[in-house]
Amino acid sequence: MTDTPATSARPDTRTEALGILRALVGRDDVDFHEGQFDAIETLVDRRRRALVVQRTGWGKSAVYFVSTLLLRRRGAGPTILVSPLLALMRDQVAAAERAGVRALAINSTNAHEWSDVLDALRADEVDVLLVSPERLNNPSFRDEQLPALVDRAGLLVVDEAHCISDWGHDFRPDYRRLRDLIAQLPSGVPVLATTATANERVVADVAEQLDSEHDGAGERASQAPPAPGVVTIRGPLARASLRLGVLRLPDARSRLAWLLTHLAALPGSGIIYALTVSAAEDTARLLRDAGHDVHAYTGRTDTADRETLEGRLKSNDLKALVATSALGMGFDKPDLGFVVHLGAPSSPVAYYQQVGRAGRATANADVLLLPGTEDAAIWQYFATASMPVESRARAVIDALSDTPLSTPALEARVDVRRTPLELLLKVLDVDGAVKRVRGGWVSTGAPWQYDAERYARITEAREREQQSMLDYEALPAGPEGCRMAFLQRALDDATATPCGRCDNCAGPWFEADVDSSARESAAGSLDRVGVEIDPRAQWPSGMDRLGVAVKGNIPVGERAESGRALARLTDLGWGGTLREIFAPGAVDAPATPALVAACVRVLADWGWAERPVAVASVPSRRHPQLIESIARGLADAGRLDYLGPLELLGGGPEGDPGGNSAYRLASVRGRFGVPAGGVQSGGVPTSGPVLLVDDLVDSRWTMTEAARTLRLAGAPAVLPFALAVRG
């Protein structure tokens, strides 16, 4: 769908724009795709606001680079390009250089270059400034550089604009701030928003925010006033190069075995998407151990390593990256040969975004979804983790005043963990209730109302999209079940027709068999045990406010040693068993022999400096039978004394497990005593380490305080062991 094209283009605009496009792509025979020049003309000659919704690979970046050079030639200031991901920024800067566009970026990784960037801006030597949405609210940038930059801006570009909408609010809360930035622009400054993934609901939401009223510095004499409304340029989303398929396999072992069997046969280089960091790392390790040249790419991957891995994949020096959504929007490898999903994303919108990485400049690319039974539980976990809770929001607002508080200092005043606290502060900042200033956060004093209706709407939309993804997996064979057409309809593309290529239209294009040796390798990988637990070495700041007189480093004589857990809750292997054990409402019961045996294997592989001489346990209100059976099982296997559970003092820990560091430490401080007499030895042994057993490690403060109790009672060392690590 394209708004009626204007007829007011300058006669030479198309010729001039075409020359820039050809310089951009390095070919003299290219022409504009349908809708590209409409968008350029809308921005350059009509100075309108435009929303471009086009499939990945259509050439949205060409629109804003060509428009930038045309506007600069007409005397306009630099383009501000709001871009969400570092990988996307790197590709955009490289593309700009090829087109002769002078592009520089300001982001979290190049702080050492900011002064040079600002000098170049003042000297008018920058055509495009790429900034992250978070940077727009950096106090010094927002207060000192942004006003002048906005006043001079020739064009504002919002890339991946679906993040403005409710659909993506938790991915980038700062995107919601763009409405205020748009309102500050002087009249006549065109605005371009681009995305490849938007249904009608998102299109309407984004268009409404692009059409904000102007609060800016007034109309520039050299520019015509903007016409009302937003021009929406929308094209068909079908990707003729993609061959979609879904293969249902019974379990994680079978899915990994399929990859081991068939990865080498997939065309070219590609991306294997996983839903969690643990799953990505485990899968990459398994495939690499089997001789495949693959690496994990997640939010935990170092920035420099990300750049190296991106470069290796682009040069086909890797078979695949096993990635989370950290490798997504904007990653540009036109000849990417395949995308495989180990577990489904939570919506067709997110799925289309990721599969769109493949086949952008090739005739064929394979896309295969291997859904898992655990997918829905993972969707729910991430959805609830990102949604603001009213009681927490009000606690944060009440804790702030006009005196700035840093995030660590705020943690000692509200029981919200660091990552959710930072997200909540951003949401409240966008809502106008708090403000980030030099030195931390302050309250604005403005009235704030929890928008329960909005969050209910978001929840309902997510549930519909999750069901839609399940419907995609279950489409019937035949053209009526065409997978590409389904994705098009999910994104409200009225041009949807059967693709003739997917597994339902043309029959399965993939082999479903699994090699027996691959199944054995996958089973062995999933049966791997042992996750390191790093000991706490420093007390949280601000503990005096909570009545606990500690600060600085934990005395060495009171610390635990490095510990071990059986697995993470998000692991592909034992994580599934542990998720069932710790699921809400699960009944406490003794550990199965297989679970005890797995824990014994963790101890066998530990490699500790000194073997433990006794076992103690952390008393559990929720899983007393489980912990007792694990502790006794380990003691029996190692022929160690079992001292029993620590005593609970003063009623034991207060509140629920988890919470932020300060509050969790306060809740467990002084609440444990040494086992009452122990077994055989009559007390805590002083001749060797004590193995301390708990069920679930989250903040690590329960284990830290329990270990401290044993150390103060004479234990020369404490070795923490837990069934599971959260995350």
Side-chain angles (χ1 to χ4, degrees), residues 579-587 622-623:
R579 285 193 296 271
E580 294 178 4
I581 289 174
F582 294 108
V587 177
R622 299 184 181 184
H623 307 104

Side-chain angles (χ1 to χ4, degrees), residues 586-610:
V587 177
D588 178 42
T592 64
L595 185 60
V596 174
C599 293
V600 171
R601 285 197 286 126
V602 176
L603 268 60
D605 296 339
W606 194 319
W608 42 51
E610 186 178 0

Side-chain angles (χ1 to χ4, degrees), residues 161-172:
H162 55 271
C163 294
I164 292 177
S165 175
D166 284 345
W167 178 84
H169 86 283
D170 56 324
F171 173 71
R172 281 290 198 269

Side-chain angles (χ1 to χ4, degrees), residues 30-50:
V30 300
D31 206 339
F32 290 110
H33 295 150
E34 183 178 354
Q36 276 184 318
F37 183 70
D38 291 338
I40 293 167
E41 184 272 335
T42 296
L43 299 168
V44 175
D45 287 340
R46 300 171 65 196
R47 307 299 173 98
R48 292 279 300 276
R49 296 178 178 185

Side-chain angles (χ1 to χ4, degrees), residues 669-701:
R669 183 70 171 182
R671 298 305 176 111
F672 297 117
V674 297
V679 177
Q680 298 178 9
S681 62
V684 175
T686 60
S687 57
V690 174
L691 184 70
L692 179 61
V693 178
D694 201 359
D695 51 3
L696 176 64
V697 169
D698 192 353
S699 70
R700 289 174 288 159
W701 286 111

Side-chain angles (χ1 to χ4, degrees), residues 190-207:
V191 178
L192 170 66
T194 69
T195 182
T197 51
N199 55 24
E200 289 294 348
R201 176 180 63 81
V202 174
V203 167
D205 192 7
V206 174

Side-chain angles (χ1 to χ4, degrees), residues 619 621 646-654 665-673 705 709:
R621 294 190 177 102
L646 300 181
E647 284 195 82
L648 292 177
L649 305 179
E654 299 175 341
L665 174 58
S667 73
V668 299
R669 183 70 171 182
R671 298 305 176 111
F672 297 117
E705 184 65 17
T709 299

Side-chain angles (χ1 to χ4, degrees), residues 14 130 208 239 241 253 270 304 407 409 426 518 537 569 572 662 691:
R14 195 182 196 285
L130 294 93
E208 178 186 357
R239 295 285 305 280
S241 64
R253 179 180 64 179
T407 306
K426 287 185 176 184
L569 285 179
L572 288 175
L691 184 70

